[in-house]
Amino acid sequence: MQFSISLLRPSLNTVTRLFLVSALSTVGLVVSYAPQSMLRSTTWSLGDAAYAQANPPQVSQYARAAFYIEQQRQQDYAEAKKLMSGNVPEDVCRQQNIPSAVHDICGRFLKRSAEIIKENGLTISQFNDITRRKEGDPSLQQQIQSELLKLQKTTP
């Protein structure tokens, strides 16, 4: 993932946007690499659908999960970058000819992302549902961004 930043010290709004884009890109990786058995193991009932309307506690849970997944992604990316001498292709985990150690990093990232989602009180289905819905819901995007800002301010 590449970002171009023209200033050495971007504004908080720019940092937040970059963080949000990174976090949501991570979500895409989690969704695309989640084993089918993991996705099937989550139950989705009418009660879950009603709860998934992103009530405030759920938005907070989602933001925390995305925040910690992004931290994990950055650590794993740095490790992969070292192993690949700084030449990490875009969507590295989808590449066929990557070193086995990098493949292991991708698997570990997927597993840890699923754990983070569950540790923050969401099912993978709920997390993915919020990810899909926020794309067309500016109010939900704003709620998530506000929660991410709070986390950035309180996390060293």
Side-chain angles (χ1 to χ4, degrees), residues 24-37:
L24 296 174
S25 296
T26 300
V27 171
L29 287 174
V30 171
V31 173
S32 66
Y33 289 108
Q36 292 304 313
S37 61

Side-chain angles (χ1 to χ4, degrees), residues 83-137:
L83 290 169
M84 298 184 78
S85 303
N87 298 318
V88 181
E90 191 171 318
D91 295 330
V92 65
C93 292
R94 293 181 188 222
Q95 302 296 318
Q96 296 296 321
N97 298 321
I98 58 174
S100 62
V102 174
H103 181 70
D104 292 345
I105 291 169
C106 292
R108 182 183 70 213
F109 173 75
L110 171 63
K111 182 180 178 190
R112 184 66 188 127
S113 295
E115 291 169 356
I116 290 168
I117 291 167
K118 291 175 185 175
E119 287 168 2
N120 283 283
L122 296 173
T123 65
I124 293 170
S125 292
Q126 288 170 321
F127 186 89
N128 292 341
D129 181 59
I130 293 170
T131 300
R132 283 187 295 273
R133 285 186 304 106
K134 70 143 195 68
E135 292 303 320
D137 186 343

Side-chain angles (χ1 to χ4, degrees), residues 69 134 151:
I69 288 170
K134 70 143 195 68
L151 285 167

Side-chain angles (χ1 to χ4, degrees), residues 33-104:
Y33 289 108
Q36 292 304 313
S37 61
M38 184 186 301
L39 293 175
R40 275 187 247 123
S41 69
T42 59
T43 58
W44 190 256
S45 67
L46 182 57
D48 289 335
Y51 185 68
Q53 295 305 310
N55 58 49
Q58 196 175 44
V59 169
S60 179
Q61 291 166 317
Y62 176 88
R64 272 194 324 272
F67 182 81
Y68 293 118
I69 288 170
E70 174 58 14
Q71 287 184 333
Q72 184 66 51
R73 186 199 67 79
Q74 289 176 5
Q75 290 172 3
D76 290 346
Y77 181 83
E79 188 176 343
K81 191 172 180 178
K82 285 180 189 174
L83 290 169
M84 298 184 78
S85 303
N87 298 318
V88 181
E90 191 171 318
D91 295 330
V92 65
C93 292
R94 293 181 188 222
Q95 302 296 318
Q96 296 296 321
N97 298 321
I98 58 174
S100 62
V102 174
H103 181 70
D104 292 345

